[in-house]
Structures are given as structure tokens and as C-alpha cells.
Amino acid sequence: MSAKARILDKLRHSLAGTEALPDDFDETLVTEPWRYPPEQRMARLRELMEAVRTEIHLTSQTQWPALLADLLAKKQLTRLLIAPQTDHGRQLSEHWSTRSDAPALHAYDRPVEEWKHELFHDTPASLTGTVGAIAATGSLILCPDRHEPRLMSLVPPVHFALLRASTIHDNLYEAQRALNWRAGMPTNALLISGPSKTADIEQVLAYGAHGPKDLVVLILEDA
């Protein structure tokens, strides 16, 4: 029997004959004072994220592709990595097909081993969706999957993220409830509060050391 098997066997025997205790969890311990009136959630999120150099723009479900094209042009970014099988990837592809001045779209549709050099050296920006945000900490919630792998929000120097205003939650506990994580946790969940930064070298703050140096959030306001 392996060491792991022995440890698990001891744990199982130690629990024999015991009964589960009733759930007397007091949710106010993790929600108070992290509650905000609905009209203040976006303002709180913006305040915290902009304080750490995140760029935020308000737009709509129909206007964000045009706004994104303008932002890429201002930043002189000529290529954008997208996930074409997502709803926002399809919407962007359809919208930009009518624009001759739109930057080139590059699809993340191959195993990374087949185009690693291009991803790391010739992909200046990416676009991903989000599953929500947390007002209390100023954080985006991403759940990478096979369509939008973790590398999409990690490798390109500029990361554009789409966030629906209706998915901004007060705190992490309420976000978990809204996303029904009790029924099944995501394989990978990320909380992103700003662009990558570090002060490891001589205590000098530097951006882009371990990920994107710029984070741009497009908040889609509800109709």
C-alpha cells in the first residue's frame, strides 16, 4: 500500500461512525460589510480597478465591436487574438467583416505547441469574455476553457476583457452563488484585479513582468 493510500485509509477509519454536523454557516461573516447598493457596484469596481491602472470603458452590447476597433487603432495594435467559437468572437468577426480598417483577427484554434512562437512573439493583444466581477475587491472573474484557454489572458501584452454590467456582484460569496459553484466548481477560475505588476527588483514597481502590461475592460451596460 502506498503512503497516499495509507493516509486516506486512516482518514476513512477516523470518520467511521460520525455524523455530518448541520450547516450553521453564517453568511454575513463573508458578505458584511462587502455589500453595495446596485447603483454603486459599477462605480466601486471602477474605482478599485482604475486605481491599479486598469483602463475601463462603458459601452453597449451592439457598440462594443466598434469601440474595440477604435481602441486598437489608438494603441497601434494591428492583430487581435480571439476565440471564434464564443458568442463575442462570432459577433466581433461579423462586425469587422464590414470594416476595411479593422485590425486582423487571429483565432486561437490550434494546440499551443503548433504556434507557440507566434503566440509569444507576434500576438500583441487578445480579447476574452468574463463570467462576472466583484465590486468589493475590484476583480474580474474568468473561467478559462478549451475555447478561451488561460494563455489568452496571460501571454499577449494587452488584454481586452468584456464584462456585462449585470454580472457585477458585491462580493465573492454572492458571485459563487450566482454562478452556482456549489453544483460544480469550474476547472479553472481566475480573479484579475489589474495588469500584471511586480516590485521584486529593487522595490521598483514594474508592469507586464508576469502577464499583460495593460488591461482594458469594456463594460456592456444593460439595455
Side-chain angles (χ1 to χ4, degrees):
M1 181 181 293
S2 67
K4 177 181 177 181
R6 286 196 298 270
I7 293 172
L8 292 175
D9 188 61
K10 288 181 180 180
L11 289 174
R12 294 188 186 98
H13 281 86
S14 68
L15 294 174
T18 62
E19 295 182 1
L21 296 176
D23 185 1
D24 56 356
F25 174 67
D26 182 1
E27 69 176 53
T28 62
L29 295 176
V30 292
T31 58
E32 300 292 352
W34 314 112
R35 291 186 183 277
Y36 304 92
E39 66 275 8
Q40 294 183 14
R41 290 174 188 156
M42 186 187 300
R44 171 67 175 176
L45 182 79
R46 291 195 65 171
E47 176 187 2
L48 293 179
M49 297 199 76
E50 289 178 342
V52 293
R53 219 180 74 168
T54 298
E55 184 179 334
I56 294 181
H57 299 271
L58 301 183
T59 183
S60 67
Q61 181 62 44
T62 58
Q63 295 300 316
W64 71 263
L67 172 61
L68 179 57
D70 293 340
L71 292 173
L72 287 164
K74 291 178 182 179
K75 297 177 183 295
Q76 298 182 336
L77 300 171
T78 58
R79 288 166 57 91
L80 181 69
L81 180 64
I82 67 167
Q85 296 183 3
T86 61
D87 289 340
H88 49 273
R90 285 189 288 268
Q91 182 182 358
L92 186 62
S93 299
E94 293 172 1
H95 178 84
W96 282 11
S97 65
T98 63
R99 294 186 54 154
S100 59
D101 60 338
L105 294 178
H106 185 80
Y108 197 126
D109 55 4
R110 291 173 289 165
V112 65
E113 292 78 14
E114 295 182 9
W115 65 296
K116 184 182 297 184
H117 185 275
E118 183 180 354
L119 172 62
F120 280 82
H121 299 282
D122 195 24
T123 305
S126 67
L127 170 72
T128 73
T130 64
V131 298
I134 303 170
T137 57
S139 306
L140 303 177
I141 307 173
L142 276 67
C143 290
D145 57 17
R146 62 188 180 88
H147 298 307
E148 288 189 341
R150 172 70 177 102
L151 291 178
M152 287 190 67
S153 62
L154 177 65
V155 174
V158 183
H159 175 205
F160 292 90
L162 292 177
L163 170 66
R164 287 181 289 116
S166 59
T167 64
I168 301 175
H169 306 286
D170 286 342
N171 48 67
L172 178 59
Y173 178 73
E174 292 187 354
Q176 290 175 321
R177 293 188 64 180
L179 295 169
N180 196 26
W181 283 2
R182 182 176 183 178
M185 288 285 291
T187 303
N188 192 357
L190 305 175
L191 300 182
I192 300 178
S193 298
S196 169
K197 57 184 180 294
T198 182
D200 291 345
I201 303 174
E202 297 183 352
Q203 299 301 300
V204 176
L205 185 62
Y207 287 86
H210 308 297
K213 65 177 182 179
D214 291 310
L215 174 62
V216 184
V217 181
L218 306 184
I219 300 180
L220 311 184
E221 297 187 277
D222 301 322

